[in-house]
Amino acid sequence: MTLSDTGPSFQAFGSRRLRRAGVNGRRVRVTLEGDELVLTGAKDAVLRIHARDVERLRSGYEETKYSRLFQTRLWRRGARAPLLLLPADGDIDAYGITIRAFAARVAGAGGIARVERGISAAGALMVVVLTSFPAVAYCGIALFIGEAADALYWLAGSVPFLVLSGIFIWHYQARLRPSAVRDLRELEQQTPGPNFRL
């Protein structure tokens, strides 16, 4: 995709980390300008992030009860903590276009190993732990109170829980676990757009 010097943009929710980086406000405009991601907050506070200064970029999403929460973390050279970009409602598609284009610039400036997919390791594992708990609990109860003669019935009863747990473990491995991309097209499955899929 060819972009002009001023490329796509979206609004992100303001955060404490963005305020610490010098960009305040409840909403922050994020615009791709050439090889820079330009964050503009309240009172025209501006933070420019050049692709060559990004040590890592990680895009992914978390499943919630009602929706998906897309997010991108940017580790800037010399910064203590990553910046977290959360797109505001209504700018989801523009977020996907902007982040994929900037990720291509980060890969071009420092190599594709700087681009990752997934969310935080702790957050991803927490999803697996919480969704596997019913299967583990059911099997534990079955072993504790079940009798040998009823083992087959208990085992059959645990199948739905084990299948559900297996689905979430697969989802962790395929989508949530942080890992470097081998191809930038992998980000199409992590960011909103026509090729996004579970």
Side-chain angles (χ1 to χ4, degrees):
M1 176 169 147
T2 304
L3 297 169
S4 61
D5 286 342
T6 301
S9 67
F10 66 95
Q11 284 202 12
F13 290 112
S15 68
R16 183 179 303 143
R17 286 187 185 174
L18 289 176
R19 286 193 297 275
R20 287 179 182 166
V23 184
N24 54 4
R26 293 180 60 200
R27 299 284 177 101
V28 173
R29 171 64 55 190
V30 181
T31 306
L32 183 63
E33 294 182 5
D35 288 340
E36 290 184 324
L37 205 58
V38 181
L39 284 66
T40 307
K43 300 179 181 177
D44 295 325
V46 175
L47 173 64
R48 293 181 170 273
I49 305 171
H50 199 283
R52 68 173 171 265
D53 296 325
V54 176
E55 292 183 343
R56 274 191 300 159
L57 178 151
R58 180 188 298 159
S59 285
Y61 63 91
E62 293 184 60
E63 292 283 346
T64 68
K65 185 175 181 180
Y66 301 106
S67 64
R68 294 181 189 95
L69 297 177
F70 292 98
Q71 59 182 261
T72 295
R73 294 172 190 265
L74 297 172
W75 283 264
R76 297 173 299 147
R77 185 175 288 115
R80 291 175 50 189
L83 293 178
L84 180 61
L85 300 178
L86 301 168
D89 299 333
D91 275 2
I92 297 296
D93 289 336
Y95 159 80
I97 293 167
T98 306
I99 293 302
R100 288 192 299 272
F102 187 62
R105 285 154 172 74
V106 170
I112 198 166
R114 292 188 181 190
V115 179
E116 300 177 353
R117 60 168 181 77
I119 59 174
S120 70
L125 282 174
M126 185 59 68
V127 171
V128 173
V129 169
L130 291 176
T131 54
S132 297
F133 180 76
V136 173
Y138 185 93
C139 291
I141 292 169
L143 289 172
F144 182 71
I145 66 170
E147 297 180 11
D150 299 328
L152 186 58
Y153 298 108
W154 280 106
L155 182 61
S158 69
V159 168
F161 295 107
L162 294 171
V163 168
L164 183 63
S165 180
I167 289 170
F168 278 98
I169 290 170
W170 169 84
H171 193 246
Y172 164 78
Q173 290 287 345
R175 298 284 189 267
L176 301 181
R177 180 177 54 91
S179 63
V181 300
R182 293 178 298 245
D183 188 309
L184 288 174
R185 286 176 291 187
E186 290 181 41
L187 286 187
E188 295 178 6
Q189 299 173 13
Q190 300 289 321
T191 55
N195 296 322
F196 174 80
R197 69 176 192 271
L198 284 176

